Amino acid sequence: MSLPLALPRQLSRQQRSGLSSAWRQPLALAGIAIVVSWILLAILAPLIVRGDPLAQDFPRFLPPSPQHWFGTDGVGRDVLTRTIYGARISIPLALLLVSLSLLTGSLLGALAGYFGGLVDELVMRAADLVFAFPTLILAMAVLAALGPGLQNAVLAIVVVAWPAYARVVRGLVMSTRGADYVNATRLLGASARRALVIDVLPNVAGPVLVLATLDLGAAILLLSGLSFLGLGARPPAPEWGSMIATGAQTFNFWWVGTFPGLAILTVVLGFNFLGDTLRDALDPRTSRDIRQRVL
Amino acid sequence: MSALLVLDGLSVWLPSREGQVAVVDHIDLEVQPGEVVGVAGESGSGKTMTALALLGLLPPHAVTEGRAVFGDRDLLKINRRELRHLRGRDIGMVFQDPMTSLHPMLTIERQLTEHVRYHRGVSRAEARRDAITMLEEVRIPDPAGALNAYPHQFSGGMRQRIAIAIALACSPQLLIADEPTTAVDVTVQAGILRLFNRLRERSSLSIMFITHDLGVMASIADRLYIFYAGRVVESGPTGDLLTRPRHPYTRGLLDALPHPEGEPMPLRPIAGAPPAPAARPPGCPFHPRCPYMLASCAVDVPTLEPIGGGRRLACPVDPLREAS
Amino acid sequence: MPRRSVAGSIVSVLDVTDVVVEYRRPGRDPVRAVAGVSLSLDAARILGLVGETGCGKSSLARAAVGLVRPSAGSVRFNGELVTPLGRRTRPMRQTRLQMVFQDPFSSLNPRRKAGEQIADGLAISGKGSSGQRRVRVGDLLSQVGLPASAASRYPHEFSGGQRQRIAIARTLAAEPTVIVADEPLAALDASIKAQLANLMISLSRELGAGLLFISHDLAIVRHVADLVAVMYLGLVVEVAPTREMWAMPLHPYSEALIAAVPRLDRIRALPAALPGEVADPAHPPQGCRFHPRCPYVFDRCRIESPPLREVAPGRQVACWLQEQGRARALPRAQRPPA
């Protein structure tokens, strides 16, 4: 028997763990910075801003000043405090929302993709039904049936958001299911369940994670949108969407609506940058493979 | 007779994580009018990159060095417009994969006549007549009908013939064929090799035939260049080189190939594997796998020297002499 | 009924009997990729299966291991019917029927370490502790010529040839008695092909496993296989011991195939071409499927399809030129100029 072959040079730890130069891009750093800052703000809010977001202690409609960086609103509440406390509503809810959609959607999509046939038909028709309606309208319709409120808003958005995950996961599962390495494990005696869990799902997780991260931004927008329409959070909760709604009624006191709006803008951008970076970070392995074969 | 194509110290550098890497390392090569020159090598040998360098089809950020003189012009120095004129009109190219070498959404007529009309300015009717002639040359049944068809309606072998017709439509002087028969069946390959032979006998077409298959080389090439890790390690007339190989890599390769003729012998593989461009060893790139290695081989890079009979060799050790 | 081996004793481990593999396509005619093939593989023997595009050898390979359900006929492993993989899990005793796939890039899971994948066969059967499995993985790696440190690496860190070795090690973990290799060398460099061909031959001998070696590369098959079967358009047209097939092919297609291989000892001699094209498997010709391209064709060929018959000990041919019990060498026909 010939001597063991020399292996290629050990890849650096960074290369082996799949991290690549994608994380060192300015957009990635910006995304990480923004998201981390907001999460810290949300967690540490009581320590950072003194005062109660619901307290109506101050003179109304004060413009931004050194005492009130973001001014005060129509009933005398400090806008800065309310904006920061808004993160404690929007961000956890968005995370909850995306997690629920991801779990339901992925599970249904995986079943549809792996088993095909009737299961596939049922899931896909249900998804088509949801896709047929504009997102916001459908969410509003569900909310109308359930009654307004933040919890119901979350539920409504999950109903609207799961098909996107289902479709992505179904496609990935279908393409992975036929891959030779899945066949190989089945030939070794693996059950369909084992093949699904050990071989198929890990390859599916990456793109789904990208989708979820990008979805976080969309979830916040949708949540805020519903609250803006009066269907989600109810006053006096410091939710960004409802704050913008109130602010929109008093446009000349621009600070009331603008700062919550900027908050939404920055958070959503941060998650989008993060999602894009994730997608780039997960891709290079394939493109590197292709490059090496061209020679 | 002046050479049609002369490569002089041609090098191609590509950027990589490890810095600039020489995928083609000082290649000297010649193609005379009317001859078939074989370029043989495995992956990482730089044979495809050499062809791409000639045609200006290298990936962005590639850096070239040396000269590639075609006729009286250096292909590496001329501007893009001139190169575009040369490509298709004076130099044709055929690629490996018949499934992707034709545009799936254009008719055969369009693919056969578009560049002809661009380079020669002929009318549509005349270009169409020439196209039918070309298809007859490459033995496509029902050429007139084929003009209106699309690539997916043809088999792999037929598509390759059409690709050859497209490459030769403007009667170029040089045809570069990169693994043209690797992706087709052996009986189809035989037909395409015969086609190449017929084409070059009827005109003074020169062919630069790139492949890893030494058997194919034996049937079609007049002279052969053996590439390894971006360098030419040996060259010379095909018959002499294949029956009396002098470079250890060539010998190793011939021993590792199953020979359809003669008694089936156990295959003697070459230990190890061709190095990746970024991981080439110092000195002679083949030395880690070489059974005749000397201490100096790890340090000195051997140059390609003439050894008589039109043969050139880049190796200080001559295994043939050792054996006898 | 197990078939007799070349040596006469009944030791066949894989029996393919009148297998038909048909694919249905919506809105178009169904395609019979395999139109009735019977083959028998003996223990410790290497059977080469050659053919060109459209001959159905890959579909036959997949049917032989149960990746695809045959539309007719049966596949038996050690006398027992092979259950196609569907929702059902393959029983442990049938995991000794293994497959090596063509593409080393898609036959390994990119997200799992090499060692984990090799250990799959052991983990699924529950043999031994994880420590014992690690040792066994090391043994398997050295059996295929890789260092033990390869276990902790990911597939993309290896070359094509090395990945094939890992794939082979994975099948070895199941202690196979039959390995079906579907073009295992096709994606590899010439100098690496030789290494892996030798590896597969020695493994087959060491393990006493039958190897069904499928390839379009006749020259490699000639070196690797004891027995060769030639397929054309879904049918086996000739079976013979390798040496005898080369010295005297009995079927016109085998003859054409051998004549088409470029040879290193005939410098500047062009290999012979076969006129015409392979017919669409969905619409094979009437009578003998090869007759439109056959240089020796006569009337009977156009009407009746010749069965595969034994014409000499160990030699089977499907051709009207041959009679039962008498193997006749083919007249050397003039090849029309290509």
Side-chain angles (χ1 to χ4, degrees):
Chain A
M1 196 83 260
S2 56
L3 285 172
L5 298 172
L7 288 177
R9 229 170 19 87
Q10 194 85 4
L11 291 180
S12 67
R13 266 215 6 240
Q14 188 190 54
Q15 289 168 311
R16 262 191 288 139
S17 59
L19 284 177
S20 62
S21 51
W23 289 106
R24 288 189 247 126
Q25 300 304 319
L27 227 57
L29 298 172
I32 296 173
I34 295 173
V35 169
V36 168
S37 312
W38 271 112
I39 292 179
L40 284 177
L41 279 176
I43 296 174
L44 303 174
L47 303 173
I48 299 176
V49 281
R50 32 161 185 71
D52 181 358
L54 304 177
Q56 305 175 8
D57 297 335
F58 306 101
R60 302 164 351 148
F61 291 124
L62 283 180
S65 65
Q67 295 85 19
H68 300 281
W69 290 6
F70 288 177
T72 61
D73 67 4
V75 289
R77 296 175 289 207
D78 180 30
V79 177
L80 173 65
T81 316
R82 285 176 65 80
T83 307
I84 293 184
Y85 269 80
R88 305 187 94 190
I89 298 179
S90 299
I91 295 181
L93 276 183
L95 286 170
L96 175 67
L97 207 146
V98 168
S99 311
L100 286 176
S101 316
L102 193 155
L103 286 171
T104 1
S106 304
L107 183 62
L108 289 173
L111 291 173
Y114 198 81
F115 293 108
L118 190 60
V119 179
D120 188 12
E121 282 296 306
L122 286 174
V123 173
M124 282 300 109
R125 295 315 130 231
D128 284 343
L129 206 59
V130 173
F131 280 136
F133 296 93
T135 325
L136 196 55
I137 307 285
L138 188 57
M140 286 165 62
V142 174
L143 261 185
L146 296 174
L150 264 181
Q151 279 168 325
N152 291 343
V154 169
L155 219 56
I157 297 180
V158 170
V159 165
V160 160
W162 74 265
Y165 294 95
R167 202 160 54 163
V168 167
V169 170
R170 171 182 177 268
L172 286 170
V173 167
M174 281 173 70
S175 65
T176 326
R177 180 186 66 174
D180 283 339
Y181 62 82
V182 176
N183 287 331
T185 13
R186 296 297 311 279
L187 284 175
L188 287 167
S191 62
R193 214 189 96 239
R194 185 196 161 98
L196 185 63
V197 170
I198 295 188
D199 275 313
V200 174
L201 286 183
N203 282 292
V204 163
V208 171
L209 203 58
V210 172
L211 189 60
T213 313
L214 291 172
D215 219 18
L216 279 168
I220 293 181
L221 281 173
L222 202 50
L223 212 49
S224 309
L226 287 174
S227 305
F228 179 86
L229 295 169
L231 295 169
R234 320 228 79 207
E239 202 276 336
W240 290 331
S242 55
M243 287 168 74
I244 297 178
T246 340
Q249 291 161 356
T250 49
F251 242 46
N252 46 330
F253 303 112
W254 56 270
W255 53 90
V256 181
T258 309
F259 290 107
L262 284 176
I264 297 178
L265 174 70
T266 50
V267 171
V268 171
L269 269 181
F271 280 125
N272 280 359
F273 291 162
L274 210 56
D276 280 340
T277 309
L278 248 187
R279 193 197 303 133
D280 290 340
L282 290 176
D283 270 345
R285 202 192 305 134
T286 12
S287 56
R288 198 195 326 135
D289 254 346
I290 293 173
R291 206 165 15 97
Q292 279 177 347
R293 290 164 80 180
V294 163
L295 287 174
Chain B
M1 193 163 47
S2 68
L4 180 64
L5 176 71
V6 177
L7 302 185
D8 185 12
L10 174 67
S11 301
V12 176
W13 302 79
L14 286 184
S16 80
R17 247 200 207 97
E18 293 83 5
Q20 292 283 69
V21 162
V23 297
V24 177
D25 194 359
H26 296 89
I27 299 285
D28 294 330
L29 188 151
E30 264 185 20
V31 180
Q32 300 289 344
E35 76 169 341
V36 177
V37 168
V39 172
E42 301 177 280
S43 59
S45 62
K47 58 193 198 304
T48 299
M49 281 290 161
T50 304
L52 294 179
L54 295 182
L55 296 161
L57 296 174
L58 287 172
H61 308 305
V63 176
T64 57
E65 225 180 74
R67 304 190 312 148
V69 182
F70 180 73
D72 54 353
R73 278 170 292 187
D74 186 350
L75 297 173
L76 302 174
K77 305 280 192 307
I78 60 180
N79 64 46
R80 297 168 70 80
R81 210 165 50 88
E82 270 194 82
L83 194 55
R84 244 209 335 268
H85 284 310
L86 272 180
R87 273 206 303 260
R89 189 189 62 192
D90 298 302
I91 306 180
M93 183 143 179
V94 178
F95 297 90
Q96 172 174 340
D97 185 1
M99 299 304 154
T100 54
S101 53
L102 299 178
H103 194 303
M105 313 242 303
L106 300 178
T107 60
I108 303 300
E109 174 179 355
R110 180 87 186 272
Q111 302 193 46
L112 263 175
T113 57
E114 191 172 35
H115 61 304
V116 173
R117 299 183 61 196
Y118 171 73
H119 287 298
R120 288 177 19 206
V122 296
S123 71
R124 181 166 173 208
E126 194 181 328
R128 200 185 150 86
R129 277 196 296 275
D130 289 342
I132 293 184
T133 314
M134 281 309 309
L135 289 177
E136 280 167 355
E137 277 285 317
V138 298
R139 306 287 161 101
I140 300 283
D142 183 22
L147 283 182
N148 300 324
Y150 289 85
H152 69 266
Q153 299 171 261
F154 295 94
S155 68
M158 287 288 163
R159 283 192 230 196
Q160 226 29 346
R161 288 172 185 263
I162 294 171
I164 293 169
I166 293 173
L168 296 178
C170 293
S171 305
Q173 301 163 275
L174 173 67
L175 176 67
I176 301 181
D178 189 2
E179 305 270 13
T181 55
T182 303
V184 299
D185 289 324
V186 68
T187 52
V188 175
Q189 169 175 274
I192 293 180
L193 290 177
R194 285 178 168 260
L195 170 63
F196 276 125
N197 198 51
R198 213 165 16 91
L199 289 170
R200 70 100 157 231
E201 273 172 4
R202 290 166 50 120
S203 61
S204 63
L205 176 70
S206 303
I207 305 180
M208 183 170 155
F209 198 106
I210 303 170
T211 179
H212 63 279
D213 189 333
L214 290 180
V216 167
M217 292 302 199
S219 20
I220 195 150
D222 297 315
R223 283 188 308 118
L224 209 41
Y225 286 84
I226 308 283
F227 274 50
Y228 184 81
R231 304 183 62 84
V232 175
V233 296
E234 189 166 20
S235 71
T238 310
D240 191 36
L241 198 154
L242 290 177
T243 45
R244 275 179 293 277
R246 310 276 267 246
H247 194 282
Y249 172 61
T250 318
R251 303 198 81 203
L253 205 55
L254 287 167
D255 286 340
L257 292 177
H259 297 200
E261 63 287 347
E263 285 297 307
M265 300 202 311
L267 301 173
R268 287 206 299 275
I270 312 179
R280 290 201 183 130
C284 172
F286 186 64
H287 85 258
R289 306 171 77 189
C290 185
Y292 304 97
M293 182 190 105
L294 306 171
S296 57
C297 296
V299 179
D300 303 325
V301 179
T303 48
L304 200 60
E305 303 292 340
I307 52 173
R311 297 280 302 265
R312 299 173 81 195
L313 175 65
C315 185
V317 178
D318 190 342
L320 212 65
R321 227 187 1 229
E322 299 271 322
S324 63
Chain C
M1 189 59 120
R3 303 186 39 157
R4 292 187 168 275
S5 73
V6 175
S9 52
I10 304 172
V11 290
S12 66
V13 280
L14 186 70
D15 282 293
V16 175
T17 312
D18 297 323
V19 160
V20 172
V21 179
E22 199 171 72
Y23 296 113
R24 308 207 158 275
R25 302 173 297 179
R28 294 164 76 186
D29 301 326
V31 181
R32 284 196 154 192
V34 180
V37 165
S38 297
L39 282 178
S40 168
L41 178 65
D42 299 330
R45 279 274 183 275
I46 305 181
L47 172 61
L49 185 60
V50 296
E52 301 183 297
T53 315
C55 72
K57 55 193 196 297
S58 273
S59 300
L60 183 62
R62 296 175 95 83
V65 296
L67 283 176
V68 141
R69 174 185 289 277
S71 320
S74 66
V75 179
R76 286 178 187 276
F77 174 61
N78 287 327
E80 192 187 340
L81 262 182
V82 172
T83 39
L85 280 181
R87 311 252 180 95
R88 266 179 296 164
T89 311
R90 174 142 291 190
M92 271 302 132
R93 62 188 177 280
Q94 284 193 352
T95 60
R96 298 183 130 207
L97 172 59
Q98 278 296 319
M99 183 155 182
V100 177
F101 297 86
Q102 171 174 356
D103 185 358
F105 294 88
S106 65
S107 61
L108 294 177
N109 188 335
R111 295 194 191 258
R112 295 175 69 203
K113 293 188 186 154
E116 274 173 42
Q117 301 191 53
I118 296 175
D120 266 345
L122 308 166
I124 295 171
S125 59
K127 285 192 205 136
S129 65
S130 68
Q132 288 170 323
R133 289 204 281 269
R134 218 185 358 254
V135 170
R136 179 96 180 104
V137 167
D139 289 338
L140 291 169
L141 280 169
S142 82
Q143 225 181 336
V144 297
L146 287 173
S149 58
S152 54
R153 296 193 170 192
Y154 287 89
H156 67 268
E157 301 181 57
F158 296 97
S159 69
Q162 289 168 329
R163 280 192 230 202
Q164 276 306 46
R165 291 173 191 261
I166 294 170
I168 292 172
R170 182 177 53 190
T171 66
L172 292 181
E175 290 170 43
T177 51
V178 171
I179 299 178
V180 175
D182 185 8
E183 303 266 18
L185 312 179
L188 308 176
D189 277 328
S191 57
I192 312 292
K193 272 195 231 260
Q195 293 173 15
L196 282 185
N198 284 352
L199 174 65
M200 298 197 79
I201 297 172
S202 65
L203 284 174
S204 164
R205 307 269 184 247
E206 273 170 38
L207 300 169
L211 175 62
L212 180 58
F213 189 92
I214 297 162
S215 176
H216 63 280
D217 184 345
L218 277 100
I220 280 275
V221 170
R222 183 170 178 249
H223 269 83
V224 167
D226 304 311
L227 211 58
V228 178
V230 180
M231 272 186 83
Y232 185 79
L233 218 53
L235 292 173
V236 171
V237 296
E238 185 169 357
V239 183
T242 312
R243 194 168 289 216
E244 290 177 39
M245 163 93 75
W246 238 264
M248 190 172 84
L250 294 180
H251 193 282
Y253 179 61
S254 317
E255 183 186 62
L257 214 50
I258 292 170
V261 178
R263 295 163 58 130
L264 280 157
D265 64 341
R266 299 221 200 105
I267 306 293
R268 303 298 310 282
L270 289 165
L274 185 58
E277 291 238 306
V278 184
D280 182 359
H283 305 110
Q286 287 273 47
C288 170
R289 292 180 174 218
F290 185 64
H291 89 254
R293 307 173 77 187
C294 183
Y296 314 108
V297 63
F298 53 94
D299 286 330
R300 192 174 187 195
C301 310
R302 299 191 176 98
I303 308 170
E304 265 185 273
S305 180
L308 187 68
R309 292 179 300 196
E310 181 149 338
V311 296
R315 299 207 61 167
Q316 298 169 51
V317 199
C319 182
W320 293 126
L321 284 173
Q322 307 293 344
E323 284 166 16
Q324 191 104 27
R326 256 195 57 195
R328 227 193 303 180
L330 293 171
R332 298 229 167 266
Q334 285 297 328
R335 292 257 166 272

